[in-house]
Amino acid sequence: MALVNKKETYTMKLQLVSVLALAASAAAFAPQQISRSHATTALSMAAEEKGSKRKAAVKVLGRVAGALGTIAVATAGAPPPAFAAAKKAVKVVETADNTKKMIGIGAGVIAGAAVGIKLAGGGNKQNFLEAEPYWDQSTVPVNVYKNKAPFTGKVVSTKRIVGPKATGETCHIIIDHKGDFPYWEGQSWGVIPPGVREKDGKPHSVRLYSIASSRYGDDMTGNTGSLCVRRATYWCPDLKADDPAKKGICSNFLCDTKPGDDVQMTGPAGKVMLMPEEDPSTDYIMVATGTGIAPYRGFVRRLFTEKTPAGEAYKGQAWLFLGVANSDALLYDDEWQEAKKNYPDNFRLDYALSREQTNTKGGKMYIQDKVEEYADEVFEKLENGAHIYFCGLKGMMPGIQGMLKGVAEKKGLDYDAWLKGLKGKKQWHVEVY
């Protein structure tokens, strides 16, 4: 028998990885069953390699995972038996030489392979995109798609979601990513608007938008994600009209999209706004202005709308503060009211309507004024381990922090030390723009 060189041996290993993993995925709907141990053994072969060979192995795992996900979606059946084995094998590869960073990409892709899979007998449960255990954040996907190699999503729908008296136009945009762009609640997508900049002819820079859906998307299949976008316009006092030369490039592009339009996307970005789900009794205080409501919609859907492991376990209270100009500018009010109706002990809602309400001093009701009304409760919750989130225009933070400092001083607290303590315990989350 002819001798086989190292290159041929390596190629054979990778082929075996692909064949056994795909065969195991096919076992989900074929009469013959292939054991998970076989798939695990084959996949773990990648752990034996080093350097460039190891990187190639990770790429193969990614391609296998993609194919596995495609098969699962096509059959809409039970999850592939190889899926659990694949995740286990990733851990084997990861521990082989402790290069967690490199294998993280493979883990993210394999986790994404479960998109669209419905567990047999699971009914409407959303649990096919979960980590193991569900609160483990070690496999959160970050910056899978970059500016030089963006992902192309397709618009499913673009809908105005504010009333006629709202100050400006806000749209809810659903984008199909076919399960190839997994994300977690609290992360952002980057959007690269088409065209080039007038000043230098270079492509437009990426704009970040907080994702306004849970990881399962509005359709709960794991194939879509949503954005909440306010159309940015500039009123010219001389023209007495909107100046189109100064309108927001990306926001107008997104608000003008039609079903089927392509959207160049990057990310997912960020971990600062993730929910710490390990302790299901954790209270969440969510403070938003305008479209800053986006990540909290993902939170609320995950905890109270969808049948997720996190939602089933949750025993704390999620308290949402939203500041907008008037009632017509309220965003997703029907969803908040539904959550409040179904979970009165676990979901709490307060609005700050600057043009319709007055604060305790008789002035306009801004978001910091509404939070201040409940300052004692807010401080007590934070003292007991609650996490507080802020999302919206960066102009909201000076007023918020000024209010909190004033309350802290009245309570005899050193504000700077108090804030440092919250940040040190990772209870303080800010994403403003």
Side-chain angles (χ1 to χ4, degrees):
M1 182 175 65
L3 293 176
V4 181
N5 62 35
K6 289 185 177 180
K7 183 176 181 181
E8 290 173 332
T9 302
Y10 178 65
T11 302
M12 289 170 63
K13 285 184 178 181
L14 294 185
Q15 288 175 340
L16 185 57
V17 168
S18 301
V19 170
L20 285 182
L22 289 175
S25 71
F29 53 91
Q32 297 83 9
Q33 294 293 314
I34 294 177
S35 72
R36 296 185 183 186
S37 61
H38 289 167
T40 303
T41 301
L43 287 167
S44 64
M45 286 180 180
E48 300 172 7
E49 306 299 342
K50 305 293 181 182
S52 60
K53 291 183 178 182
R54 180 180 171 82
K55 292 181 181 179
V58 171
K59 289 183 179 180
V60 170
L61 291 178
R63 289 197 293 270
V64 169
L68 187 156
T70 301
I71 292 173
V73 172
T75 60
F83 184 70
K87 293 181 72 175
K88 183 176 180 181
V90 168
K91 293 182 179 179
V92 172
V93 178
E94 177 181 319
T95 56
D97 61 5
N98 206 26
T99 55
K100 187 172 184 179
K101 182 176 180 180
M102 186 179 76
I103 200 63
I105 299 173
V109 177
I110 289 179
V115 171
I117 301 170
K118 296 181 179 179
L119 295 182
N124 294 323
K125 284 190 176 183
Q126 280 75 54
N127 54 8
F128 50 88
L129 292 179
E130 303 296 325
E132 291 185 5
Y134 71 88
W135 42 261
D136 180 14
Q137 296 182 357
S138 63
T139 59
V140 176
V142 177
N143 296 326
V144 177
Y145 294 95
K146 303 182 185 300
N147 295 21
K148 293 183 178 180
F151 177 85
T152 301
K154 283 198 177 293
V155 173
V156 175
S157 64
T158 300
K159 180 182 178 181
R160 177 188 170 103
I161 56 172
V162 291
K165 296 181 180 179
T167 53
E169 180 181 17
T170 301
C171 295
H172 182 74
I173 303 154
I174 301 176
I175 300 173
D176 184 4
H177 59 77
K178 299 183 184 298
D180 295 327
F181 204 159
Y183 57 87
W184 282 33
E185 299 77 16
Q187 290 191 296
S188 299
W189 270 341
V191 175
I192 305 174
V196 296
R197 300 184 302 197
E198 291 185 5
K199 63 179 181 180
D200 55 17
K202 294 182 179 180
H204 290 296
S205 58
V206 65
R207 274 75 162 178
L208 287 177
Y209 293 91
S210 297
I211 301 171
S213 55
S214 79
R215 68 192 70 181
Y216 297 98
D218 285 7
D219 58 3
M220 301 187 189
T221 65
N223 292 325
T224 65
S226 303
L227 299 178
C228 180
V229 180
R230 187 179 191 274
R231 186 188 295 273
T233 58
Y234 174 77
W235 178 265
C236 178
D238 296 327
L239 296 174
K240 294 183 179 180
D242 287 335
D243 185 348
K246 297 181 180 180
K247 68 180 182 180
I249 299 297
C250 198
S251 66
N252 280 269
F253 158 67
L254 288 170
C255 289
D256 287 337
T257 54
K258 302 291 188 297
D261 287 352
D262 288 343
V263 179
Q264 299 295 306
M265 304 160 63
T266 65
K271 289 185 177 183
V272 69
M273 295 293 283
L274 299 178
M275 289 189 292
E277 297 176 338
E278 184 171 1
D279 181 358
S281 65
T282 301
D283 288 339
Y284 302 121
I285 302 170
M286 305 167 286
V287 183
T289 58
T291 56
I293 197 68
Y296 309 140
R297 182 173 182 264
F299 290 7
V300 173
R301 288 180 67 85
R302 178 166 177 78
L303 295 177
F304 305 118
T305 303
E306 302 168 359
K307 295 181 180 179
T308 64
E312 291 177 352
Y314 191 60
K315 299 296 186 294
Q317 184 182 76
W319 192 354
L320 176 61
F321 290 91
L322 171 61
V324 292
N326 55 36
S327 299
D328 267 20
L330 288 174
L331 302 170
Y332 309 112
D333 178 64
D334 55 337
E335 297 187 25
W336 314 141
Q337 299 302 335
E338 186 70 15
K340 187 176 178 180
K341 174 185 174 183
N342 294 334
Y343 299 91
D345 297 329
N346 303 102
F347 180 68
R348 192 168 172 180
L349 175 67
D350 279 284
Y351 289 143
L353 307 178
S354 61
R355 299 192 181 183
E356 295 180 6
Q357 299 173 333
T358 55
N359 59 29
T360 56
K361 299 176 183 177
K364 291 183 177 181
M365 176 70 78
Y366 292 112
I367 191 68
Q368 64 266 26
D369 301 316
K370 180 57 66 174
V371 176
E372 187 175 13
E373 287 184 10
Y374 303 96
D376 289 342
E377 285 186 80
V378 169
F379 270 67
E380 182 180 358
K381 283 180 176 292
L382 291 171
E383 182 67 24
N384 292 329
H387 284 240
I388 191 165
Y389 296 78
F390 302 96
C391 189
L393 294 174
K394 61 184 177 181
M396 71 185 281
M397 291 310 295
I400 287 282
Q401 292 189 294
M403 178 274 294
L404 292 174
K405 183 175 182 179
V407 172
E409 290 175 349
K410 288 180 181 179
K411 292 179 176 293
L413 300 173
D414 181 322
Y415 174 71
D416 292 334
W418 175 80
L419 181 58
K420 184 178 180 180
L422 290 180
K423 291 180 178 179
K425 297 175 184 176
K426 299 183 178 180
Q427 293 173 244
W428 180 269
H429 308 259
V430 179
E431 185 169 88
V432 292
Y433 40 86

